[in-house]
Amino acid sequence: MECGLWLSLGGFHERGQDWEQTQKIYNCHVLLNSKGAVVATYRKTHLCDVEIPGQGPMCESNSTMPGPSLESPVSTPAGKIGLAVCYDMRFPELSLALAQAGAEILTYPSAFGSITGPAHWEVLLRARAIETQCYVVAAAQCGRHHEKRASYGHSMVVDPWGTVVARCSEGPGLCLARIDLNYLRQLRRHLPVFQHRRPDLYGNLGHPLS
């Protein structure tokens, strides 16, 4: 409230109404407006159950419930914001659904690992920006959580062309970027990929590989 800023914060460990039954939390992304009011909450839908050599196993589903739905993009002074969390960025279906629902800015508060970070962090964020023609804002935890886990850091902002327009280093930091919605709309006019999609050919892409 003092600074008149909107804040995208996450992920928070949230007890849901099913806590007594499940004893599991939700990984929650919260959007606050400039008055400090909660205007949107998104519960992470894709849980990170992976075993990466050199990074150690992670089984988020041991303690976390998957969110039941996506959150509609929220109108803000900067543009319409779509909410996601970390591992969600590996699923283009989610980012495309948010873009088709009107998102102009995709947000991914994250804690990428020390192995997946250097390999995938930037390329995934740039891919999500290019395919959705959205700005992508990705705040990233950095440093060591405990002896078996460290986070990569390198928070960044990517424009709809896929250019990294602001980034932090590995450690704590602050980066600023200008959100130019006129540029976004111009790009979408010049490269109208959403008008060229063929859902009749590839419809539902959410099925596991056979």
Side-chain angles (χ1 to χ4, degrees):
M1 293 177 63
E2 292 180 0
C3 298
L5 298 175
W6 286 60
L7 295 176
S8 158
L9 303 169
F12 290 106
H13 290 175
E14 177 202 32
R15 288 187 182 185
Q17 294 181 346
D18 51 4
W19 165 256
E20 295 297 333
Q21 292 76 39
T22 66
Q23 296 293 295
K24 294 183 178 182
I25 52 89
Y26 291 95
N27 190 339
C28 188
H29 181 173
V30 178
L31 187 66
L32 304 180
N33 67 15
S34 57
K35 297 181 180 179
V38 175
V39 294
T41 55
Y42 162 74
R43 295 162 182 88
K44 185 182 180 188
T45 49
H46 300 96
L47 301 184
C48 189
D49 290 357
V50 300
E51 292 189 28
I52 307 296
Q55 190 169 285
M58 182 174 183
C59 192
E60 191 175 16
S61 63
N62 283 345
S63 60
T64 306
M65 293 286 290
S69 62
L70 303 183
E71 180 73 17
S72 297
V74 179
S75 293
T76 78
K80 285 191 173 183
I81 291 183
L83 306 182
V85 176
C86 197
Y87 188 61
D88 286 330
M89 76 177 67
R90 293 187 180 275
F91 302 89
E93 300 90 342
L94 183 151
S95 57
L96 289 169
L98 290 174
Q100 289 173 323
E104 297 162 319
I105 305 164
L106 303 178
T107 49
Y108 293 97
S110 299
F112 254 48
S114 56
I115 301 297
T116 54
H120 296 161
W121 173 247
E122 180 176 328
V123 70
L124 282 171
L125 294 172
R126 294 180 68 190
R128 298 297 81 85
I130 293 167
E131 71 199 4
T132 62
Q133 298 177 320
C134 288
Y135 282 89
V136 169
V137 178
Q141 290 185 26
C142 62
R144 184 160 293 280
H145 299 249
H146 48 72
E147 63 179 16
K148 295 183 178 180
R149 186 181 175 202
S151 285
Y152 177 62
H154 295 83
S155 299
M156 68 176 59
V157 181
V158 186
D159 75 11
W161 185 250
T163 302
V164 178
V165 293
R167 74 167 84 219
C168 292
S169 63
E170 183 177 353
L174 173 69
C175 62
L176 301 174
R178 181 169 179 260
I179 303 296
D180 186 346
L181 296 182
N182 288 328
Y183 171 68
L184 179 148
R185 294 173 187 131
Q186 182 183 60
L187 176 60
R188 289 180 175 183
R189 286 196 303 271
H190 291 168
L191 191 60
V193 292
F194 281 93
Q195 297 177 34
H196 300 155
R197 294 194 179 280
R198 291 288 307 273
D200 57 309
L201 298 182
Y202 38 74
N204 186 350
L205 296 177
H207 297 298
L209 297 179
S210 58

